[in-house]
């Protein structure tokens, strides 16, 4: 097997795993919004704007076994992580602000917006972005000669 083929084999699994996380997050957000009828808050919308494109970018990269796909996906995931981190800081009242992230529509801090009545949706988003970034860093490390 060629060196390029070996690299492609080593990067496919973390790329596929990152795509799976992005896909599950996207489907979860769509389920909450479209099936449950919960209107996301402004910060949730921004996080969606960064997560949804990752499904396409990571899907194409995994399909092609293109380890270089991390270059395109990492900045998008990083920006989404920053929004998710800010949302969590507001949610857990670490930083006070006059901005209410969940002021309009359904509050993502309500009891109905928790996984198994314990994990809040903003924390799930932060975990998903963190996992995608970690997997992309594995891809980056494996693509180096």
């Amino acid at each position: 097997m060629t060196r390029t083929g070996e690299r492609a084999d080593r990067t496919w699994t973390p790329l596929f795993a990152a795509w799976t996380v992005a896909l599950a997050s996207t489907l979860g957000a769509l389920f909450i919004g479209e099936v449950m009828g919960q209107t996301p808050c402004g910060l949730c919308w921004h996080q969606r704007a960064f997560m949804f494109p990752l499904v396409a970018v990571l899907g194409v990269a995994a399909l092609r076994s293109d380890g270089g796909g991390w270059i395109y996906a990492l900045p998008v995931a990083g920006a989404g992580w920053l929004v998710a981190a800010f949302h969590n800081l507001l949610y857990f009242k670490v930083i006070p602000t006059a901005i209410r992230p969940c002021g309009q529509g359904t509050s993502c801090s309500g009891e109905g917006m928790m996984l198994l009545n314990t994990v809040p949706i903003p924390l799930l988003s932060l975990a998903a972005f963190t996992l995608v970034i970690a997997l992309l860093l594995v891809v980056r490390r494996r693509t180096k000669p």
Side-chain angles (χ1 to χ4, degrees):
M1 184 179 286
T2 65
R3 194 143 174 81
T4 305
E6 288 173 11
R7 268 194 225 132
D9 289 345
R10 292 171 20 117
T11 59
W12 183 84
T13 302
L15 277 172
F16 183 76
W19 173 77
T20 303
V21 171
L23 181 63
S25 299
T26 298
L27 292 176
L30 290 173
F31 179 82
I32 290 169
E34 302 302 320
V35 176
M36 294 176 60
Q38 305 286 348
T39 305
C41 70
L43 288 173
C44 290
W45 273 115
H46 286 86
Q47 290 167 70
R48 286 177 171 205
F50 291 110
M51 185 61 76
F52 289 9
L54 286 174
V55 175
V57 172
L58 293 170
V60 170
L63 185 65
R64 297 184 53 157
S65 295
D66 180 9
W70 73 268
I71 295 170
Y72 307 109
L74 191 60
V76 176
W81 186 91
L82 289 173
V83 175
F86 179 71
H87 194 179
N88 276 276
L89 290 174
L90 291 174
Y91 178 83
F92 290 108
K93 297 177 177 53
V94 174
I95 55 173
T97 183
I99 299 172
R100 299 201 55 176
C102 302
Q104 301 262 327
T106 305
S107 173
C108 55
S109 60
E111 281 186 32
M113 299 308 289
M114 294 202 173
L115 179 66
L116 305 173
N117 291 328
T118 55
V119 182
I121 298 295
L123 192 57
L124 285 173
S125 177
L126 183 64
F129 279 114
T130 301
L131 188 53
V132 167
I133 289 169
L135 289 164
L136 291 173
L137 291 175
V138 169
V139 171
R140 177 180 175 256
R141 189 181 74 232
R142 291 183 180 181
T143 56
K144 287 189 173 184

